[in-house]
Amino acid sequence: MPSSYAAAAASSSRKPAPFTTATATTRKPAPLPAPAPPPSNPSHVSDSDPSSYSSSGEETDLSACDPATASVLSTYLSVAGNGADLSKVGIFLNSAARRRSPPCLICLDPIRPSDPVWSCSASCFALLHLPCIQSWAHQSASAAPAPTWGCPKCRVAYPKSQTPTSYHCFCSKTEDPPADPWILPHSCGDVCGRRLNSNPDSGCEHTCLLLCHPGPCPPCPAVVPNARCFCGAHREPRRCAHQRYSCKGKCNKRLSCELHRCPVDCHDGPCPPCAVRGNHRCECGETMVERLCSERVFQCKRECSGMLECGKHKCERGCHGGKCGECPLRGQRTCPCGKKDYPRLECDVEAATCGSTCEKVLGCGRHKCPERCHRGPCDVTCRLVIKKSCRCGVLKKELPCHQDLTCERKCQRLRACGRHACKRRCCVGDCPPCAETCDRRLRCGNHKCLSPCHRGACSPCPLMKTISCFCGKTYFEVPCGTEKNQKPPKCSKRCNIDRLCRHKLDCRPHKCHYGACPPCKLICGEELSCGHKCKERCHGSIPPPNPEFTVKPMKKKMEKHIECTPGTPCPPCQEVVLVPCFGEHLGQERAIPCSKSRQFPCQNLCGNLLHCGNHYCTKDCHVLEIPSDQRKADTILSLSRKNTLAEPCERCNLPCQRARDPPCSHPCPSRCHLSDCLPCKALVKRSCHCGAMTHAFECVYYNNLNAKQQLKVRSCGGPCHRKLPNCPHLCSEICHPGQCPSVDQCMKKVNVRCACNTLKKEWVCQDVLKEYRRSGRDPKVAKGQFGVGLIACGGDCVKKVNVPAAELHQRKVQENKNPAAEVTNVPKRRKKRDRGAQEPVQVSMWQQMKRYLVVIIALAGLVVLGLLIWKGVYQISDWMNEMEEQKARERLLRAGRL
């Protein structure tokens, strides 16, 4: 043993004090030498490695571990130095130092540092609960035919005597190790001391220098100064764990043929068979064939046919070497049944039969041959009739000895599994093992037991679940059934999945991760169809998540609001633009997102000038229908032409209200139009100046005349016939406009009377007017009184005034007696009215009833008429509401099409 290794072993034989005394809490461990460089793929964990329970795929850094782990490795690293290989045991130590052991494979519950445990020291070093493995061992040993039980993980068989009965540390030195926070859980804190290599051919006799630890012991760090290679031609100093090596040269050992040497590179184990080909003879020497040197001894297919030593018989053996040997028929011989001996019988003479019964045991093993001594074999079939019973003893029957008797009874005993009946016909009692599959659900919950049906608990699920990162370079394995409680490993590698969005070269790289890549946080910037650029966060496609990774479903967290769903096209443009209304009214523009920039109806009327050029459209604001030949340069109007909702303005159905030229009081009979009105053909009635007749002129003709011409054409050409203002006579001039010229020069004769109408004279009218002015009287008197009182009364006038009163009284009496004489000059209508008032009308009862019926019928008609009018008003109101709803729906449809 090297001196350094011996010194390290001696110093490590004592339990380290810093972890047992109270002052150890303030003392830091000594700095450790750097461990050996990790393997090329440190994240990979072998399938047979129990460290696959670890939840981290990162490289194992034991130089920066906790004090408990550092104390375990201190002695080993002092010997191994930079060449320490802790790739396997390091993961066990890290898992134990973090107080996070793998779950128990039997109960699938986590193993706590205070739980008593058992570790499989033969192969897999799996850590299990002590009560679980004890129950497992008892059930397995009782159910198995041999008193053995197997490890639930690696299936290594243990004898029943090795069933764990107590809780020991990892090195099995201390029973019930106390829980100490300064050492690893389930460890005694002493030096491990286990044999590093149990193989006697390895030549290693060193023990483990680590403190009591889980998992396999590390490779032996001792240095062998003269380690020989496999072929023995090379020597060099090497680690004890790797002292058997290949020098990469030719082996050159002598092969089993003792003629050639091994051409293979330096290797472990026996050399391969000689592969040199050559011509070799068979054992009899008659045949020569090209064969491998390792197969040079062979036999040909021909018979020997050589003479035996007797010289009478030939050798019946195949190809062989040497002499053929003695004749087998020489020496003492017997009859065929063996009862009579012939000591001196030649080899070419057959032995005679003795004539007695053969009595050789037949094939049944119970009866003898009843034939006489005979040559050749006895009859194989025993035909002796005996009474036989079936195997289970239920049925008995006489049968030939060579026939077997079986009954049809099915065995009802339970097989070794305790679940299924034997059901074999005529079973002796040795029921075979159950051939059915167990098919019970394992504790993992994912698979069923595929073993043959058995008693007790099923073996744990042997499968392992691989949980990896997205790239697959970092992964770990856990027992089946525990994968739901695991978290994905953290991988420090760079994510090698290319982004699918347009920012493939601009995005910052990120680490490998589980699931889909995080969405790109850059602005999309893609140009939309409207000309604007998308200002939302990038929403391109991202790779799908790793389908092989499964975890326990977690509660849904509150997701942040993402403007765009990844993997979708650009959302509608949200750039705010000013959009005019359908009618493009000033001041009615609205700020609307570009994606929703659709023209809308405002609250104003259309107001567009109609084709008549006189009136404006009174429809609600609507899309203008512009002819294709008008205003092609205007982009907004060109959009209006393409709009499917464009509709023409209303047609002007109003009468023409234009002022005619020349001015005319008659309205234009045509509808409202843009051009000049047609000449007015209406007849204008104008009376002549004197009013005697009425002229009918065409309006256009009359209005085109000037004032003088109009006065001229209105003259009837006859006398004026207008009454003069101061006298009762008519104008004697020809029909003329204005005031009559002969107002004070009337030359007509007028009878002038005195006041009592007794005297009468004939004067010229203008003299009468002068007399009126002279006397200061108004000449405008009744026609019958014109000129009365202008002459003074004479003597005759006095006599008429003094008429006797009796004559007057007599005249009044006559007038009263003859009333008809008074009403002679009364109009006829007054006469009838007075006569009807004087004669009373007699009305009958039927006429009165008739009047009442007429009144009642009239009232009923009024009521019915009122009801009809009320119902009609409501129907008209409903119809108007329906029309308004229909118009609203049409507006919505138009707005939707836009």
Side-chain angles (χ1 to χ4, degrees), residues 524 528 534-537 539 563-564 568-574 595:
C524 177
L528 303 176
C534 181
K535 295 184 179 180
E536 301 292 339
R537 200 170 72 178
H539 43 78
E563 291 78 7
C564 298
T568 58
C570 289
C573 181
Q574 300 298 324
S595 59

Side-chain angles (χ1 to χ4, degrees), residues 124-328:
C124 64
F125 301 96
L127 204 62
L128 305 171
H129 286 123
L130 182 63
C132 294
I133 194 63
Q134 289 175 343
S135 175
W136 174 268
H138 288 308
Q139 292 180 6
S140 300
S142 60
T148 59
W149 57 276
C151 172
K153 182 175 182 3
C154 61
R155 301 294 194 272
V156 172
Y158 289 89
K160 190 175 182 180
S161 59
Q162 293 187 9
T163 301
T165 57
S166 58
Y167 171 38
H168 288 84
C169 62
F170 296 114
C171 63
S172 302
K173 293 180 181 179
T174 304
E175 184 176 355
D176 295 330
D180 192 345
W182 296 103
I183 60 177
L184 298 179
H186 318 295
S187 172
C188 63
D190 201 353
V191 178
C192 177
R194 287 181 288 183
R195 182 87 175 265
L196 291 179
N197 199 334
S198 59
N199 188 5
D201 297 336
S202 64
C204 177
E205 298 179 355
H206 305 116
T207 57
C208 180
L209 298 178
L210 299 180
L211 300 185
C212 183
H213 63 88
C217 294
C220 181
V223 178
V224 179
N226 295 320
R228 299 181 61 180
C229 64
F230 294 122
C231 64
H234 186 265
R235 294 174 181 268
E236 66 178 18
R238 295 180 68 88
R239 296 281 182 187
C240 182
H242 307 289
Q243 60 178 320
R244 296 183 58 82
Y245 65 98
S246 174
C247 64
K248 305 300 180 182
K250 299 294 181 180
C251 178
N252 208 25
K253 289 182 180 180
R254 188 171 295 279
L255 300 177
S256 59
C257 63
E258 299 295 335
L259 300 175
H260 306 98
R261 293 185 178 274
C262 179
V264 185
D265 291 343
C266 182
H267 60 88
D268 189 14
C271 296
C274 182
V276 179
R277 303 186 68 86
N279 295 326
H280 302 280
R281 291 184 179 273
C282 62
E283 291 185 2
C284 66
E286 296 292 334
T287 304
M288 181 176 289
V289 182
E290 183 181 357
R291 298 177 66 89
L292 295 176
C293 182
S294 58
E295 300 175 355
R296 64 185 183 276
V297 179
F298 68 98
Q299 294 178 346
C300 64
K301 295 183 179 180
R302 63 183 297 273
E303 294 182 358
C304 178
S305 69
M307 295 299 292
L308 299 177
E309 291 182 356
C310 66
K312 298 179 181 179
H313 299 95
K314 293 183 177 182
C315 180
E316 296 180 354
R317 291 190 302 170
C319 178
H320 64 88
K323 297 181 179 181
C324 292
E326 294 184 0
C327 179

